[in-house]
């Protein structure tokens, strides 16, 4: 296979560049990411359409990754409950090395081909569940093993990788390949590859949440009221929808616990 993620940067002598040059070249490279993601749109569409009916039957979505890829999966999963008011076990991020790996590199955690699936097994998966493996290289044993075993056990599988024709893509039912090219710092897949992964995860999870009825119009009406900013946002939604004063809208929101509940009482 061709490991584009390990190819030499298009730039050299980085240590001799000025701050302005470094920033400009990084930005130039980042500008290529959206185009690479757009090229993968048919793959992304196919995966989301395959996951949707399973989630509507109660199936869960698991992200499995290591290093940067694992952290991005955990990030996406952890932001969905407060944003869309879903339970924390509906979309789950699993990272090689566990929670310790969110802040620190865990030696050799990604090299265990059995451990990723073992950690999915802890959730007692069934045929309506889906697993998306995330690995820029497409070769990470922890991720490839989890996706392969998930498929063997009847789960729907997808992946996000930055290299073509990888073992991970071969293992998945619905591979997504975002070919962003060599990194600005050779091999540093936390850069363009990570940006592409974040974009694709945003697209997958946001589209699924909308299709699951967690958005009305363009508003996060089921968001959790976990801080003052979100209470204010919810208050303004209710005020605009019902023509109430700010104080009355805020009190109704606090009494009901969500924008959705307030608006439903008016229908």
């Amino acid at each position: 296979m061709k490991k584009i993620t390990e190819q030499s940067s298009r730039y050299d002598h980085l240590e001799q560049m000025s701050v302005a040059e470094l920033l400009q070249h990084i930005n130039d490279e980042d500008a290529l990411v959206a185009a690479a993601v757009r090229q993968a749109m048919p793959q992304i569409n196919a995966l989301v359409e395959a996951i949707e009916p399973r989630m509507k039957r109660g199936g869960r979505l698991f992200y499995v990754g290591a290093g940067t890829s694992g952290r991005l999966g955990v990030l996406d999963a952890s932001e969905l409950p407060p944003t869309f008011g879903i339970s924390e076990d509906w979309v789950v991020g699993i990272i090689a090395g566990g929670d310790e790996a969110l802040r620190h590199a865990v030696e050799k955690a990604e090299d265990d081909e059995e451990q990723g699936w073992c950690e999915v097994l802890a959730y007692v998966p069934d045929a309506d569940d889906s697993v998306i493996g995330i690995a820029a290289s497409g070769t990470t044993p922890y991720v490839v093993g989890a996706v392969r075993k998930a498929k063997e056990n009847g789960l729907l599988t997808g992946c996000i990788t930055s290299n073509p024709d990888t073992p991970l893509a071969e293992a998945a039912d619905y591979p997504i390949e975002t070919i962003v090219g060599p990194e600005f710092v050779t091999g540093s897949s936390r850069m363009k590859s990570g940006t592409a992964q974040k974009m694709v995860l945003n697209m997958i999870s946001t589209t699924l949440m909308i299709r699951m009825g967690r958005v009305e119009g363009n508003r996060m009406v089921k968001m959790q009221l976990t801080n003052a900013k979100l209470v204010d946002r919810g208050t303004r939604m209710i005020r605009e929808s019902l023509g109430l004063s700010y104080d009355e809208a805020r009190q109704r929101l606090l009494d009901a616990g969500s924008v959705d509940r307030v608006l439903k009482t008016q229908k």
Side-chain angles (χ1 to χ4, degrees), residues 234-253:
T235 298
R236 287 184 284 106
M237 289 183 193
I238 293 169
R239 183 182 65 181
E240 292 167 8
S241 296
L242 303 182
L244 304 175
S245 69
Y246 184 92
D247 289 342
E248 185 177 357
R250 186 176 188 276
Q251 190 58 55
R252 289 202 190 184
L253 175 63

Side-chain angles (χ1 to χ4, degrees), residues 23-41:
L23 296 176
Q24 183 61 59
H25 292 323
I26 291 171
N27 185 247
D28 288 343
E29 289 297 298
D30 284 345
L32 304 174
V33 176
V37 171
R38 183 171 292 277
Q39 287 294 313
M41 285 291 286

Side-chain angles (χ1 to χ4, degrees), residues 132-227:
I132 298 177
I134 313 168
S137 68
T139 60
T140 308
Y142 178 91
V143 181
V144 176
V147 169
R148 186 176 289 133
K149 284 290 188 180
K151 185 176 180 178
E152 289 174 3
N153 284 272
L155 280 69
L156 182 141
T157 58
C159 73
I160 306 169
T161 179
S162 296
N163 285 322
D165 306 319
T166 64
L168 180 57
E170 183 180 358
D173 298 306
Y174 294 90
I176 296 170
E177 297 170 321
T178 54
I179 312 303
V180 296
E183 297 289 357
F184 180 69
V185 175
T186 298
S188 182
S189 56
R190 58 177 281 275
M191 301 186 76
K192 289 192 297 181
S193 292
T195 301
Q197 290 169 351
K198 178 69 170 113
M199 291 174 69
V200 173
L201 289 169
N202 283 348
M203 295 165 73
I204 291 171
S205 60
T206 303
T207 300
L208 285 169
M209 291 299 101
I210 293 169
R211 300 289 291 178
M212 295 299 112
R214 311 309 293 184
V215 171
E216 291 186 17
N218 57 17
R219 295 173 174 174
M220 302 178 290
V221 295
K222 297 181 184 290
M223 65 185 178
Q224 296 174 1
L225 306 178
T226 53
N227 57 48

Side-chain angles (χ1 to χ4, degrees), residues 15-16 68 75 88-89 100 119 130 134 193 195 214 219 225 259:
E15 74 282 0
Q16 298 176 19
T68 297
L75 172 64
E88 293 183 354
D89 62 355
E100 174 71 11
E119 292 177 16
S130 305
I134 313 168
S193 292
T195 301
R214 311 309 293 184
R219 295 173 174 174
L225 306 178
V259 174

Side-chain angles (χ1 to χ4, degrees), residues 76-155:
D76 192 74
S78 66
E79 290 182 338
L80 301 182
T83 303
F84 298 107
I86 66 171
S87 64
E88 293 183 354
D89 62 355
W90 204 13
V91 180
V92 179
I94 297 174
I95 181 171
D99 287 352
E100 174 71 11
L102 293 173
R103 292 182 178 273
H104 307 284
V106 177
E107 187 176 0
K108 297 183 179 179
E110 70 175 47
D111 297 331
D112 190 334
E113 192 169 347
E114 305 297 327
Q115 188 59 34
W117 175 241
C118 287
E119 292 177 16
V120 174
L121 276 179
Y123 292 88
V124 192
D126 63 35
D128 279 333
D129 293 334
S130 305
V131 172
I132 298 177
I134 313 168
S137 68
T139 60
T140 308
Y142 178 91
V143 181
V144 176
V147 169
R148 186 176 289 133
K149 284 290 188 180
K151 185 176 180 178
E152 289 174 3
N153 284 272
L155 280 69

